[in-house]
Amino acid sequence: FKDAAQFRTTYGIEHPAPHLLKEAVYGLSEFHRHELREARLVATPGCFPTGALLALLPLIRRDLIEPSSIIIDAKSGTTGARRAASIEQLFAEVNENFRAYKVGNHRHVPEMEQEISAALGRDIALLFVPHLLPITRGLLSSIFMRPRAGTTESDVHAAFEASFAKSRFVRILKPGELPELRNVRATNYCELAFILDRRSETLLVITAIDNLGKGASGQAIQNMNLMLGYDEAAGLLNAAPVP
């Protein structure tokens, strides 16, 4: 967070080093490469914001959607809900079950709103619904929004191509293909696809990442590589399947 008051509201504690907030770079690698190369302090995004922002920022920057219409429906494996001893994380509670959780008060929402508001130049409020999948790892996000009048499939595709043409870890899928968790498990990759449904005037973007890879430690290594001048993909091309 750039605002110590927002940190306090979200996490319930005072920020221990508010004087460093202006210096810290938000480590969404694909959108902050230049800043990351000069950074001394980086805050790597959470898994839910990564899956959502990779889908949304290209469209917002080209003004292709109505920002107030955004709805984020995201589903994560159990490792996305912290490694802590809790009843709701027990095998018997998660196995053969599927549920939404922390609707309306998830701590990653202000993080997403901060980045989207910065791209828009004004504040925005998002509707975000996280779900817990009965799997170990993986995060699939379905983001629904209303396109601006006149927005075409070519416009949407061009926005993603322009944003990710030089990105080693974002795969824009061909028409008719949809992201799957098994394709990104244990990797730092993101799969992305979109459908522009004219019947309902809705644009749907789907992303798939590994919440422990691109959604956590993989992206942290990607950021470190940029900071230190290494190959951006160093250490990230082999699968890391444990857990």
Side-chain angles (χ1 to χ4, degrees), residues 158-171:
F160 288 130
E161 282 287 346
S163 293
F164 302 127
K166 297 181 180 179
S167 297
R168 300 277 293 274
F169 294 109
V170 179
R171 300 169 177 158

Side-chain angles (χ1 to χ4, degrees), residues 142-162:
S142 300
I143 300 108
F144 305 87
M145 64 212 88
R146 191 154 317 271
R148 296 278 194 201
T151 295
T152 66
E153 290 183 347
S154 295
D155 294 331
V156 177
H157 184 77
F160 288 130
E161 282 287 346

Side-chain angles (χ1 to χ4, degrees), residues 194-205:
F194 72 90
I195 297 170
L196 183 56
D197 183 37
R198 289 300 183 190
R199 186 180 60 83
S200 63
E201 283 301 307
T202 301
L203 173 61
L204 166 63
V205 183

Side-chain angles (χ1 to χ4, degrees), residues 34-194:
H34 177 72
E35 300 98 312
L36 287 164
R37 290 190 177 103
E38 305 296 326
R40 186 178 70 92
L41 179 64
V42 172
T44 297
C47 54
F48 283 123
T50 296
L53 293 172
L54 289 174
L56 289 167
L57 290 180
L59 305 172
I60 288 170
R61 289 184 171 190
R62 292 205 171 192
D63 197 27
L64 296 179
I65 63 169
E66 298 283 352
S68 62
S69 69
I70 296 170
I71 298 174
I72 304 167
D73 180 326
K75 303 166 180 68
S76 171
T78 58
T79 52
R82 300 182 299 127
R83 190 177 189 181
S86 64
I87 292 176
E88 64 184 16
Q89 291 288 94
L90 292 175
F91 177 82
E93 298 294 325
V94 175
N95 185 49
E96 298 184 20
N97 193 17
F98 181 53
R99 65 175 183 267
Y101 69 102
K102 293 186 178 178
V103 179
N105 64 346
H106 196 283
R107 66 182 184 178
H108 280 163
V109 173
E111 186 180 329
M112 289 185 270
E113 291 177 343
Q114 173 182 271
E115 293 305 298
I116 293 174
S117 295
L120 277 174
R122 59 181 174 84
D123 290 341
I124 188 173
L126 297 173
L127 176 58
F128 171 63
V129 185
H131 301 76
L132 188 64
L133 288 170
I135 62 175
T136 302
R137 57 199 295 176
L139 194 162
L140 190 79
S141 301
S142 300
I143 300 108
F144 305 87
M145 64 212 88
R146 191 154 317 271
R148 296 278 194 201
T151 295
T152 66
E153 290 183 347
S154 295
D155 294 331
V156 177
H157 184 77
F160 288 130
E161 282 287 346
S163 293
F164 302 127
K166 297 181 180 179
S167 297
R168 300 277 293 274
F169 294 109
V170 179
R171 300 169 177 158
I172 303 170
L173 301 185
K174 298 176 182 177
E177 296 180 347
L178 294 175
E180 297 186 32
L181 294 183
R182 64 181 177 179
N183 296 339
V184 297
R185 187 182 187 277
T187 78
N188 193 56
Y189 288 96
C190 170
E191 284 194 344
L192 182 150
F194 72 90

